[in-house]
Amino acid sequence: MSQEPGVNEPPEAEHASVAPVELGDLAALRALAQPRRQRMLEHLTLHGPATSATLARALGLNTGSTSYHLRELARYGFVEKTDGETSGHAGEKPATVRRAEPSAHRERWWRAVPGDRRFPPRSRQSPEMRLVMDELNHHAYAADLDLFERLQRDAEDRDPWADAFPYSRGTIRLTLPELRDFFEEYIALLNRYKRPASETPPGARTLLTRFLAFPASLPAPIPSVSDGQGEGDGDGDGGLGPGQDHEPVRNNGREADQS
């Protein structure tokens, strides 16, 4: 599994390939699994650097809480201190940088640390790590679905971006090596469309992308005649044979026949 690579990269790293980093430290995974920290990290990724106070206002938290969670995220390398605020999302035209004015109590600005972070395969996760990963994924998937539904529901009819909610459901038959290649090609496709602000055309917006694939359940064994079962139940439904797709592909909310 991979988090989105290359978000908010500094200019000198915008065209450099990002080597995947596996998050095998249980303490780091626990730090990341905290729902409020996930929300804070996503806000920093989407909206750029912020202070604990601006995060608190944006997310409805108190400043003491956001300060603590930022320090915990920084301890494991997910966020870091920066000099000021750069408005705009990664890949969009940035506004001017506003640096904090010198004072007795200078605000600390934080940014999300970019990278291609991946979780260990489930086969290499300890029982304790699996519990942490299950909690992390549960909160992340629920938040993603809630955000998708809310943004789609609140989109203005006259806004040309109201149709910018493509999605797809389908099936493919792959071996394990092919699945790994498929995933790496997906990550490479994301990186191919990443570009510095100087090359981003007017009107471009940050898009949230998610990838999810999992093996279908194996069909139940068909009872043999010797087990006392008949050859059919008479309902005329023979089930799905190997390789038969029954899910329609959806793109922009429309169904399309896969045949």
Side-chain angles (χ1 to χ4, degrees), residues 19-23 116-119:
V21 176
E22 185 171 285
L23 297 177
D116 182 354
R117 302 183 182 94
R118 307 192 180 190
F119 304 125

Side-chain angles (χ1 to χ4, degrees), residues 77-94:
F78 298 116
V79 303
E80 63 185 8
K81 296 176 185 177
T82 186
D83 288 336
E85 174 190 25
T86 303
S87 61
H89 307 306
E92 296 181 359
K93 300 290 186 182

Side-chain angles (χ1 to χ4, degrees), residues 172 174-184 211 213-215:
I172 52 177
L174 300 174
T175 64
L176 278 174
E178 288 174 333
L179 177 58
R180 296 187 187 100
D181 290 342
F182 187 95
F183 177 74
E184 294 300 335
F211 176 88
F214 47 91

